[in-house]
Amino acid sequence: MSTLRLHNSLTRRVEEFVPQDPRRVTLYVCGPTVYNYVHIGNARPYVVFGLLARLLRRLYPGVVYARNITDVDDKINAAAHAAGVPIDRITDRFAAAFFEDMAALGADPPDVTPHATQHIGEIIAMCERLIESGHAYVAEGHVLFDVATYANYGELSGRSVDEMIAGARVEVAPYKKNPADFVLWKPSTPELPGWDSPWGRGRPGWHIECSAMAEAHLGETIDIHAGGNDLMFPHHENEIAQSTCAHGGRIFARYWLHNGMLTFNGRKMSKSLGNVMVLHELLQKHPPELLRYLLLKAHYRQPLDWSDAAIAQARATLDGWYTALRDLGDVATPSEAPVPPEIEAALLDDLNTPQALSLIAELATSSRRATTPETRKAAKSALLGAGALLGLLRVEPEAWFKQTSGEADAIDPVEIEALIARRNEARKARNFAEADRLRDELAAKNIAIEDSAQGTRWKVVNPNECPA
């Protein structure tokens, strides 16, 4: 069997993935809090770790992928109060929008989608176990986890308790034994949603929701837990503490994976800066496959910068790949083309999507040199098989170009290649004035070119980066 290697945030190194039971591999990804549309950064883990689920299913006969919905939360309460409606009016609407947007992006759907409000019984039961074992206590209608009772608290984020308190907005309350103690259950006033419990009418804290849902659907120890690196502390740190203590010291998750954050033109996306890109709106402006490509372009553990130039570059790249497929339109291939081994090998190496995309680019380039029926068929099959594993090249070329033809700043790769060919001919003829004029024409289209022994390469860049 092929070997999958993953970077484990807990050990801070790339390790061979060995499931506890190869017949039932378990994956949990923290899902959205459904009080509004998600932004493009929220979508990154669902695309990336959905691809991981797809890869796992190629390797193992049984995979259970769970991605939760947080449908009780103070942000939801605030949105419902502002709209004057019950919380389920808010959560139902935005959960449906989330599912629709994820389907458009081609994010692999989970096998299980647990909702927090459907697991109140399991949450209360976990709180009771933690109280009975001395890891939680009741104070003024709250149930709080006693951080001092878990010696390994901070192991995931690699920080001491004091450092974590200093670096996070920790609620200081007189009923806490320690400022770092976190809420498992809290009381609800009459206007807030709540459920009966041994400690009065109340609602769960955020962290305990995921622990209870993971236990209910995947078991006490799961293989892989994944999410954005902004969740490492406090959310994932708290999940480890409460789950480990609720399960008698058993390991909660054997591998932890975290994706990097998105920036916009080099700056952090935030509401205060006004640069949050809402996915629902982006999907109305751009083909979903273009957005998916961008989310896979950088390695999942690295930051990913979002910009107009990046969108233009992605569109030009996909246009080029679809042009290669259009040129092979007369070639018949199987309905399910096999995945080229080198593409799978790249993904098996800690989901190295940049390498996989680079290999697809090479396949597209080499397809233009295929001239015999056999080589053209092999070229088309390789492109389609590689694209299928990445969730790309899934529409007919003509449908793709219809999607992008309405965009005013769309780049025609055929035109770019023709200009480059004319420039190269001018250079061969030593007509350097014409060659320079054509370079300037390309620069005016935000195309930068680079000459090498292998030929001339081009890319879309920010206008300020193009040579004058």
Side-chain angles (χ1 to χ4, degrees):
M1 177 180 288
S2 301
T3 300
L4 172 63
R5 301 175 73 246
L6 297 170
H7 183 272
N8 189 346
S9 301
L10 189 62
T11 61
R12 296 167 183 79
R13 64 174 183 264
V14 176
E15 303 174 349
E16 179 181 347
F17 173 67
V18 181
Q20 57 183 343
D21 180 0
R23 297 165 300 178
R24 187 177 185 269
V25 178
T26 50
L27 167 65
Y28 187 93
V29 176
C30 286
T33 300
V34 285
Y35 67 98
N36 208 331
Y37 294 112
V38 299
H39 62 71
I40 187 64
N42 298 141
R44 192 181 191 190
Y46 310 129
V47 169
V48 168
F49 299 127
L51 178 60
L52 173 61
R54 184 179 303 190
L55 192 61
L56 288 170
R57 291 190 178 104
R58 291 176 60 84
L59 302 176
Y60 299 100
V63 175
V64 185
Y65 167 28
R67 188 185 69 198
N68 74 289
I69 292 289
T70 296
D71 58 351
V72 53
D73 180 86
D74 288 344
K75 292 179 180 177
I76 296 171
N77 297 339
H81 178 74
V85 298
I87 64 168
D88 59 2
R89 288 278 296 278
I90 298 294
T91 58
D92 288 352
R93 175 190 173 189
F94 289 112
F98 171 76
F99 297 142
E100 178 184 336
D101 291 346
M102 290 304 105
L105 274 182
D108 296 62
D111 301 291
V112 184
T113 307
H115 288 55
T117 56
Q118 297 169 3
H119 293 77
I120 299 299
E122 290 90 341
I123 292 169
I124 290 173
M126 183 170 281
C127 290
E128 289 177 321
R129 296 203 306 272
L130 288 167
I131 293 170
E132 291 168 4
S133 60
H135 293 290
Y137 58 95
V138 181
E140 298 184 20
H142 296 75
V143 179
L144 297 117
F145 184 86
D146 190 345
V147 168
T149 68
Y150 182 59
N152 292 329
Y153 192 74
E155 185 178 19
L156 178 66
S157 54
R159 293 181 289 179
S160 69
V161 174
D162 289 343
E163 287 175 323
M164 287 185 284
I165 293 173
R169 289 174 291 182
V170 174
E171 180 188 2
V172 178
Y175 50 78
K176 286 187 176 184
K177 293 181 180 179
N178 184 311
D181 293 350
F182 56 90
V183 172
L184 304 176
W185 187 266
K186 51 190 172 183
S188 291
T189 51
E191 75 278 5
L192 290 173
W195 292 263
D196 291 335
S197 80
W199 320 287
R201 182 177 177 274
R203 61 198 191 279
W206 174 35
H207 313 301
I208 195 75
E209 295 174 358
C210 281
S211 284
M213 288 185 281
E215 177 193 76
H217 296 281
L218 304 180
E220 293 186 348
T221 297
I222 61 179
D223 286 309
I224 302 171
H225 195 311
N229 62 17
D230 59 328
L231 299 180
M232 190 177 292
F233 179 82
H235 187 51
H236 290 165
E237 198 77 71
N238 291 352
E239 275 191 79
I240 291 174
Q242 64 202 8
S243 293
T244 303
C245 294
H247 301 150
R250 284 181 285 280
I251 293 173
F252 171 44
R254 300 170 66 248
Y255 299 83
W256 285 87
L257 273 64
H258 291 93
N259 64 274
M261 295 294 99
L262 257 68
T263 56
F264 182 68
N265 289 323
R267 304 179 72 188
K268 179 181 177 182
M269 281 192 185
S270 72
K271 291 179 180 177
S272 60
L273 294 174
N275 63 1
V276 173
M277 310 291 287
V278 177
L279 174 61
H280 201 71
E281 296 172 359
L282 287 171
L283 285 167
Q284 295 170 14
K285 294 173 60 179
H286 304 290
E289 194 170 300
L290 185 149
L291 303 181
R292 180 180 177 86
Y293 170 89
L294 274 168
L295 290 171
L296 294 173
K297 187 177 180 182
H299 192 278
Y300 78 91
R301 288 193 280 119
Q302 300 302 316
L304 173 61
D305 192 52
W306 199 269
S307 65
D308 291 341
I311 291 172
Q313 175 70 71
R315 185 169 54 239
T317 298
L318 288 169
D319 280 354
W321 295 357
Y322 272 108
T323 297
L325 282 177
R326 183 169 60 184
D327 293 342
L328 296 166
D330 60 321
V331 177
T333 56
S335 57
E336 290 190 17
V339 175
E342 63 271 23
I343 299 292
E344 183 174 69
L347 296 181
L348 289 171
D349 182 18
D350 194 30
L351 296 179
N352 192 341
T353 54
Q355 175 66 11
L357 294 174
S358 176
L359 290 168
I360 294 179
E362 291 178 12
L363 291 173
T365 299
S366 64
S367 74
R368 300 184 182 99
R369 298 192 294 267
T371 55
T372 67
E374 293 78 11
T375 57
R376 296 181 76 235
K377 182 175 182 179
K380 184 174 183 180
S381 177
L383 266 176
L384 291 175
L389 185 54
L390 274 294
L392 302 171
L393 303 179
R394 305 306 290 156
V395 300
E396 290 296 324
E398 294 308 320
W400 168 261
F401 288 113
K402 284 180 181 178
Q403 283 183 305
T404 57
S405 62
E407 299 182 20
D409 59 345
I411 290 171
D412 183 352
V414 176
E415 179 188 0
I416 300 304
E417 294 284 359
L419 287 170
I420 289 172
R422 286 169 54 194
R423 173 181 171 272
N424 289 341
E425 288 172 6
R427 292 178 71 207
K428 286 180 183 178
R430 304 187 68 79
N431 186 350
F432 298 116
E434 176 65 4
D436 289 344
R437 187 192 69 76
L438 289 164
R439 177 187 279 272
D440 292 343
E441 186 174 343
L442 288 163
K445 298 178 183 292
N446 299 334
I447 302 297
I449 58 176
E450 179 182 338
D451 297 313
S452 70
Q454 288 72 42
T456 302
R457 303 179 64 180
W458 62 277
K459 65 177 180 178
V460 182
V461 295
N462 185 292
N464 296 325
E465 299 175 23
C466 275

